[in-house]
Amino acid sequence: MDGCADDPIVVSAIRSQKAGMAMFLNERDRNKYSRLVADDFRYQDLQADETQLGCSGSGETANCRDAAIEEIFHVISGPGISVAYAKKFGETNSLMTKSMDKARGGKFITVPDKYPPDAIYHYYDKTCSYQCMATEYFYWAVTSFHHGQNAREQDNMREWEASTRGQLKSKVRDMFSLIIRRNKMKLLSAKGILPGTGSKIGAAGTYKPKRQKCASGCALDGTKCGPLGGG
């Protein structure tokens, strides 16, 4: 990683909706202090006590998981990728949601009491809307493609049955194809690995900028990344 946006179109979409992360010490502090977050800031919360730097990326195990990968990914995919590439990865009516409907065993706008026995993706959180289900589906598919779920295959079975790249290709082939074919965007890493992989200090260990002047002009300070708000 070099501090430059791999896909300025996605960054611009995120900025237009004033989306980003809000980090708290723990869930108790989130409940106490979330009221201080600006009303017009579309945020995804992350707690410090669920951020496990030593097992980030594909270094996750059955007993250690860095929640930062998932929560940050939701910000990139929800207000970012799904908006920038709506026809392919939109969260309401796209090629991805058609794939998700097949993986869930049908199109369920609300969470069913029971999924069909052949469902590959079966999330039972009643508070999760259809768009939320699409956000989670994208996370599962991309991290499985990048080997981020291999060590948690058995734990994931309650929700997701395609935790390895091979399983994704065989069980959810249409989504596998969407990930590998004709994408203008870069999915997490040009090298095909999850941020933080092989690092004891999380994604910070893989942030080794070779330059700070970005060819696209879109850098960490937000310069030339599109206007903030108005989306």
Side-chain angles (χ1 to χ4, degrees), residues 14-20 37-43 228-230:
I14 293 171
R15 285 177 58 82
S16 72
Q17 296 173 78
K18 289 188 176 182
V37 179
D39 292 338
D40 63 346
F41 180 49
R42 178 180 172 180
Y43 73 92
L228 189 62

Side-chain angles (χ1 to χ4, degrees), residues 126-141:
K126 294 288 186 179
T127 66
C128 194
S129 65
Y130 185 80
Q131 290 88 344
C132 164
M133 287 287 173
T135 300
E136 298 288 345
Y137 181 66
F138 196 23
Y139 160 76
W140 280 121

Side-chain angles (χ1 to χ4, degrees), residues 52-67 69 139 143 146-152 192-203 206:
Q52 304 295 327
L53 302 181
C55 52
S56 192
S58 59
E60 289 189 358
T61 68
N63 300 313
C64 187
R65 176 180 180 274
D66 182 16
I69 291 290
Y139 160 76
T143 54
H146 283 304
H147 310 294
Q149 303 295 341
N150 291 20
R152 298 184 60 83
I193 61 172
L194 294 172
T197 297
S199 168
K200 294 182 179 180
I201 55 173
T206 55

Side-chain angles (χ1 to χ4, degrees), residues 49-111:
D49 64 358
E50 63 179 353
T51 305
Q52 304 295 327
L53 302 181
C55 52
S56 192
S58 59
E60 289 189 358
T61 68
N63 300 313
C64 187
R65 176 180 180 274
D66 182 16
I69 291 290
E70 177 177 0
E71 305 309 339
I72 294 172
F73 186 85
H74 289 340
V75 171
I76 296 171
S77 67
I81 293 172
S82 71
V83 174
Y85 301 98
K87 184 176 180 180
K88 194 170 188 179
F89 294 112
E91 296 182 338
T92 53
N93 185 20
S94 66
L95 295 175
M96 182 183 75
T97 56
K98 289 181 180 178
S99 169
M100 180 182 75
D101 293 340
K102 288 172 61 177
R104 295 176 80 198
K107 183 163 186 172
F108 304 103
I109 301 302
T110 58
V111 178

